[in-house]
Amino acid sequence: MYLGLEIIDFHVHFPTRKPMFGGPHGPGPDRRSEYVERRGERRAKIARELAMDYNRHWRLTWGFDPPESDPPDDETQADRWAAELERYGLRAVGFVTGGGNDHLAGIVARHPARFVGFAHNYLFGENAAQEVKRGVEELGLRAYKLLAPALDRPIEDEAGYPVWEMCGELNIPVLVHFGILGSGGGVPWHENINPLKLYTVARDFPEVTFVIPHFGCAWIRETLQLCWACGNVCIDTSGSNQWVRWVDGEWNTKKLFRKYVETIGAERIIFGSDSSYFPRGFAIRYLQDQIRDCRELGLTDEQLRAIFSANAARLLKLGK
């Protein structure tokens, strides 16, 4: 318990040096590195230095140290994360990425009562649906995660339908990142950046619960329109949500909570932190701020329980 609430963090990235997918996954997620190679290291260095201005400002704003330059092995990292859960009274965390399905399953098995893993393989890969099935039925993963702006074709392409079909059969939620990708200097535009791109898929697979992270990540109106059209679409609250500084209007996290509670209801809002690296560990400031926002908005105890634990527990089948 934390401040009288049971907390499940739906959205955490396990800090590993292994590649995101742990193996072949198609051209999409590799395109940025290929582009950097084509344009030359000198220009890539200039772009990195420009992006660092934003990153420095972000770290100073939140008081976060940079990631360790020489992190320990993954077993140690897993134990550190288990200690974070104990320290802050968290019930469980969902690792949405972690070096590929097999590797992440091994991490989860180290602390199975507290860790939940998401399958994270290329949507359009050969036997992609069977890989999701293997991840769930053989490896014990409980959800599926995608980065839409990292795909190399439209997310609604019917070549991906076997995966959505499989997610429905397995009764697992699907977390799909839309909107800007990365920190300052990241990806601001892509054919799959708009959450409304998911409309056809969400409409065609109403038995699948889709979760859009970060309150829609700069695409507020479009995320709300998608949620209006498709009752099987939820949102998560993960991250600093500093993207509000870069969109029109005077937005903040408190206003986002008000808007989403008024429209889709607390039963479709899921807490996440987007935590990952050490020494920061669990980004407790995000949780503190979001609990304060919700309490100042006058949310009921039932609504608070739904947002901060019950919705995640239901989707990830964690029981009571």
Side-chain angles (χ1 to χ4, degrees), residues 119-184:
H120 187 43
N121 51 279
Y122 177 53
L123 176 64
F124 303 113
E126 185 177 358
N127 299 318
Q130 291 304 309
E131 174 59 17
V132 173
K133 182 177 183 178
R134 186 183 74 90
V136 173
E137 294 186 343
E138 298 182 23
L139 302 179
L141 305 176
R142 302 193 186 192
Y144 181 54
K145 160 71 185 295
L146 279 180
L147 295 167
L151 295 172
D152 60 323
R153 65 180 82 174
I155 194 170
E156 70 272 23
D157 191 311
E158 291 190 5
Y161 272 38
V163 170
W164 311 130
E165 190 82 39
M166 181 61 67
C167 290
E169 293 178 9
L170 296 169
N171 190 27
I172 59 171
V174 177
L175 180 71
V176 188
H177 176 104
F178 290 94
I180 54 176
L181 184 62
S183 57

Side-chain angles (χ1 to χ4, degrees), residues 159-226:
Y161 272 38
V163 170
W164 311 130
E165 190 82 39
M166 181 61 67
C167 290
E169 293 178 9
L170 296 169
N171 190 27
I172 59 171
V174 177
L175 180 71
V176 188
H177 176 104
F178 290 94
I180 54 176
L181 184 62
S183 57
V187 179
W189 179 250
H190 184 275
E191 64 179 336
N192 290 323
I193 207 161
N194 190 329
L196 280 174
K197 289 282 285 183
L198 190 65
Y199 168 65
T200 303
V201 173
R203 179 200 63 192
D204 289 352
F205 295 91
E207 71 275 23
V208 178
T209 297
F210 294 93
V211 182
I212 310 300
H214 319 302
F215 288 105
C217 204
W219 295 78
I220 304 167
R221 182 185 68 180
E222 291 76 7
T223 303
L224 288 166
Q225 289 175 337
L226 177 64

Side-chain angles (χ1 to χ4, degrees), residues 195-260:
L196 280 174
K197 289 282 285 183
L198 190 65
Y199 168 65
T200 303
V201 173
R203 179 200 63 192
D204 289 352
F205 295 91
E207 71 275 23
V208 178
T209 297
F210 294 93
V211 182
I212 310 300
H214 319 302
F215 288 105
C217 204
W219 295 78
I220 304 167
R221 182 185 68 180
E222 291 76 7
T223 303
L224 288 166
Q225 289 175 337
L226 177 64
C227 290
W228 170 81
C230 302
N232 55 324
V233 176
C234 303
I235 62 101
D236 88 22
T237 69
S238 59
S240 66
N241 292 302
Q242 282 203 53
W243 56 261
V244 296
R245 300 176 57 237
W246 300 84
V247 299
D248 187 39
E250 296 301 318
W251 287 94
N252 55 40
T253 306
K254 186 175 182 179
K255 184 176 178 181
L256 288 169
F257 268 113
R258 178 187 293 115
K259 175 64 72 174
Y260 279 94

Side-chain angles (χ1 to χ4, degrees), residues 255-294:
K255 184 176 178 181
L256 288 169
F257 268 113
R258 178 187 293 115
K259 175 64 72 174
Y260 279 94
V261 169
E262 288 175 349
T263 53
I264 66 176
E267 65 275 11
R268 292 167 66 185
I269 302 172
I270 306 163
F271 167 72
S273 72
D274 207 19
S275 302
S276 54
Y277 62 87
F278 289 92
R280 179 182 69 168
F282 176 60
I284 183 63
R285 286 193 58 183
Y286 300 163
L287 175 62
Q288 292 170 331
D289 288 354
Q290 292 187 23
I291 290 176
R292 182 198 63 228
D293 288 341
C294 288

Side-chain angles (χ1 to χ4, degrees), residues 6-62:
E6 182 179 79
I7 307 296
I8 298 174
D9 191 339
F10 188 79
H11 190 138
V12 175
H13 296 269
F14 184 77
T16 177
R17 294 181 178 182
K18 289 185 174 292
M20 183 180 296
F21 289 89
H25 50 261
D30 280 340
R31 285 194 300 178
R32 179 160 174 76
S33 60
E34 292 173 359
Y35 177 55
V36 168
E37 183 178 350
R38 287 201 305 272
R39 68 183 179 178
E41 182 56 33
R42 183 184 68 84
R43 288 180 175 175
K45 182 174 182 292
I46 294 172
R48 286 195 299 269
E49 290 173 350
L50 291 172
M52 284 305 298
D53 289 339
Y54 178 90
N55 292 326
R56 279 191 291 268
H57 182 271
W58 174 77
R59 297 193 190 285
L60 288 172
T61 299
W62 290 94

